[in-house]
Amino acid sequence: MEVTTIVLIVLGFMMVTSALILTIIFRMIKEKQGEKRQRQIILAEGAAASAVVESIQMTNATMDQQPGVILEVSFVKPDGETAKAVIDTFIPVIHVPAFQPGKTIEIRYLDGETIQAEAVEAYIP
């Protein structure tokens, strides 16, 4: 096999691999932008409620040095029904004590097939 053929095969492989990697990266970026947009919609258009923090779990994720947490909260809807929601979010470090079990926080939620909720004090860049 000639050197030119080998070089062309390697270059072709590198181009295909690069295109695949770029496709995956752009898909991940688009997905994250969609999640951020959904969080902003919930905070802008969602119904307000006071929720009691049932539990908080720290995750390994951080965003702009703000810790990621998973909050389990319960709240009462305007019709008197008690609801629960799980919020996967980031909170400013200085607000971590306010998110401990038993504390009351302000949330916004959209009620549908599943309840989508966001903490008002959550960190959204």
Side-chain angles (χ1 to χ4, degrees):
M1 208 178 242
E2 287 186 40
V3 174
T4 307
T5 306
I6 294 172
V7 168
L8 288 175
I9 291 172
V10 169
L11 285 175
F13 180 75
M14 288 173 52
M15 288 177 61
V16 169
T17 305
S18 298
L20 182 62
I21 291 171
L22 286 173
T23 302
I24 292 169
I25 289 171
F26 285 129
R27 185 175 294 152
M28 289 172 59
I29 290 171
K30 186 175 180 180
E31 189 176 295
K32 290 297 180 184
Q33 287 174 337
E35 290 174 9
K36 181 181 173 185
R37 193 169 327 137
Q38 181 62 27
R39 293 176 71 195
Q40 290 171 334
I41 289 170
I42 293 169
L43 288 169
E45 300 174 6
S50 291
V52 176
V53 177
E54 300 291 330
S55 70
I56 181 172
Q57 281 183 298
M58 301 298 274
T59 66
N60 290 332
T62 60
M63 181 184 296
D64 296 336
Q65 296 154 355
Q66 308 304 324
V69 296
I70 298 174
L71 299 169
E72 291 183 31
V73 298
S74 61
F75 60 97
V76 179
K77 295 182 188 179
D79 63 4
E81 179 185 351
T82 301
K84 292 186 181 248
V86 176
I87 303 171
D88 188 355
T89 192
F90 298 89
I91 55 175
V93 174
I94 61 172
H95 292 156
V96 171
F99 286 86
Q100 298 306 307
K103 300 279 187 164
T104 301
I105 62 169
E106 295 301 314
I107 65 166
R108 295 235 175 218
Y109 71 95
L110 294 176
D111 200 1
E113 194 172 301
T114 60
I115 295 175
Q116 296 179 325
E118 284 296 328
V120 173
E121 297 292 325
Y123 177 74
I124 298 179

